[in-house]
Amino acid sequence: MTAEKPEAAATDSCEAAARPSTAVGGPAPTTTRDPGPAVEFTAVSRHYPGGVRALDGVGLGIGRGELLAIVGPSGSGKSTLLNLLGTLDAPTSGTVRVFGYDVGALADDQLSALRARWIGFVFQQFHLAPNVYAVDNVADGLLYSGVPARTRVRLALRALERVGLADRAYHRPHELSGGQKQRVAIARAVVGSPRLLLADEPTGALDTTSGETVMRVLRELHGDGVTVVVITHDRELAAALPRRVEVRDGRVVSDSALPGDAPCRTEAGR
């Protein structure tokens, strides 16, 4: 039985992504789509008024089942890259494909369905509803998915077990440590079994021990076949992952997946 609680409205774009809202009538992607990369950027640029070039001619491919870090300092363009990876924003030019779908060709309801079914988000701030049990915070990740309430609770308990928090299911956020709150947020992100998990500075607000625990959970999810992308400014964290993509001034300047880890050329510069 789920605890009684007030509905918690999303207060910003990050929380809206953390709590997926599916447009029920939107055609959802199917599992029969082509088996290409999880994400593919072709000559992608994102410009803003005033001449701001947040991304400039980026080419990037992320294979299914990869674990990688996108690393760069503040203002490098990695947050813009995250928004495009998660279909929260659209490029000014170029093409972004997610699991074979050209996101620029999808209607809003289709994008919502794509995010809700295939993409999970984890942010530095946990975006947990206060005074609400962990299991209900996790179950809220399925609130607009059409899944019956009892099934949502069952899946939420399973997700909490997956991140090692089965014994904290009926604890409220103020009764949890920072690392435990982040693991609840991860459980909410994966309760719908997404194929792509985007983690934005997932250890940024945590102590070293809690951060290591969170990274272990992300590695375990990767081991289960989830494509995990960690966006971070922490070079030490990035160096510990199998692949590192460095972003600077809106361009991918190096990618450890390339021979010799040579600096990358943008699509625009080819």
Side-chain angles (χ1 to χ4, degrees), residues 132-136 156-157 160 165-172 176:
V132 173
Y133 289 141
V135 64
D136 292 331
L157 289 169
L160 285 168
L165 287 179
D167 61 339
R168 295 292 187 269
Y170 292 94
H171 286 63
R172 295 177 174 86
L176 301 173

Side-chain angles (χ1 to χ4, degrees), residues 128-134 137 171-178 181 184:
L128 301 179
N131 300 316
V132 173
Y133 289 141
N137 265 294
H171 286 63
R172 295 177 174 86
H174 69 272
E175 299 171 321
L176 301 173
S177 69
K181 291 176 186 176
V184 171

Side-chain angles (χ1 to χ4, degrees), residues 199-222:
D200 186 15
E201 302 284 4
T203 65
L206 305 178
D207 60 71
T208 300
T209 300
S210 297
E212 289 173 350
T213 300
V214 166
M215 289 308 300
R216 184 176 70 248
V217 170
L218 293 178
R219 287 180 182 275
E220 290 171 354
L221 291 168
H222 166 248

Side-chain angles (χ1 to χ4, degrees), residues 140-244:
D140 277 358
L142 296 169
L143 194 59
Y144 301 102
S145 65
V147 176
R150 287 185 180 274
T151 303
R152 291 201 303 269
V153 172
R154 176 173 54 81
L155 293 174
L157 289 169
R158 184 182 301 170
L160 285 168
E161 182 178 6
R162 192 177 185 185
V163 300
L165 287 179
D167 61 339
R168 295 292 187 269
Y170 292 94
H171 286 63
R172 295 177 174 86
H174 69 272
E175 299 171 321
L176 301 173
S177 69
Q180 289 170 337
K181 291 176 186 176
Q182 188 61 291
R183 282 190 281 161
V184 171
I186 293 172
R188 180 181 57 202
V190 302
V191 68
S193 299
R195 297 186 179 188
L196 173 64
L197 182 64
L198 304 175
D200 186 15
E201 302 284 4
T203 65
L206 305 178
D207 60 71
T208 300
T209 300
S210 297
E212 289 173 350
T213 300
V214 166
M215 289 308 300
R216 184 176 70 248
V217 170
L218 293 178
R219 287 180 182 275
E220 290 171 354
L221 291 168
H222 166 248
D224 290 339
V226 179
T227 304
V228 179
V229 181
V230 178
I231 292 84
T232 183
H233 69 277
D234 187 336
R235 289 182 173 275
E236 184 177 352
L237 185 156
L241 298 185
R243 180 182 175 191
R244 295 158 303 285

Side-chain angles (χ1 to χ4, degrees), residues 96-122:
V96 175
R97 292 185 180 275
V98 177
F99 295 108
Y101 286 87
D102 178 354
V103 300
L106 298 180
D108 287 346
D109 57 351
Q110 293 174 312
L111 287 171
S112 293
L114 177 66
R115 282 193 298 271
R117 183 165 298 184
W118 280 8
I119 305 174
F121 296 87
V122 179

